[in-house]
Amino acid sequence: MAKDTGFFAEFKKFIARGNVMDMAVGVIIGGAFGKISTSLVNDIIMPAVSMLVGGINFSDWKIVLKQAVLDVDGVTELAPAAPPAPPEPSAEEKLLTEIRDLLKDQK
């Protein structure tokens, strides 16, 4: 049997470390605990509270801590500006253009 070298050997060493395993277990337990606590609140606590206060549906309730404020000046600054118009050709360029056109007409 060939000995593992390279990427897979380093990966096995990395996974075998205690910190990585602890972190993986923590993530799994945290995800499960989050679902359990959400289910507990939605399916047990909130229906009980709703019955105590007379059948009020709390899912439609919301509390606005601060009204949203739209800064119109900041939004217009972020919008791309129209590209500037190309500069007017100089008098010299206009004269050269006229000469070029006259030479074309002579041919």
Side-chain angles (χ1 to χ4, degrees):
M1 224 171 147
K3 185 178 176 185
D4 287 335
T5 58
F7 174 76
F8 291 109
E10 290 180 27
F11 185 69
K12 283 182 182 179
K13 272 195 236 175
F14 176 73
I15 291 297
R17 289 184 185 167
N19 294 341
V20 175
M21 295 301 279
D22 292 343
M23 184 180 67
V25 170
V27 168
I28 292 169
I29 290 174
F33 184 74
K35 291 186 187 268
I36 290 170
S37 62
T38 300
S39 177
L40 177 71
V41 169
N42 290 340
D43 299 332
I44 295 173
I45 295 174
M46 290 311 290
V49 170
S50 179
M51 283 193 304
L52 289 174
V53 294
I56 297 173
N57 184 6
F58 290 105
S59 63
D60 297 331
W61 284 26
K62 58 184 165 188
I63 298 173
V64 178
L65 299 176
K66 183 179 176 185
Q67 290 290 343
V69 178
L70 179 62
D71 183 16
V72 177
D73 294 334
V75 173
T76 56
E77 289 174 6
L78 298 176
E88 246 339 274
S90 65
E92 187 177 78
E93 289 175 337
K94 288 180 184 178
L95 182 60
L96 288 171
T97 304
E98 287 179 24
I99 294 171
R100 182 197 64 200
D101 293 341
L102 288 172
L103 288 173
K104 276 186 186 177
D105 290 340
Q106 286 182 354
K107 289 184 180 179

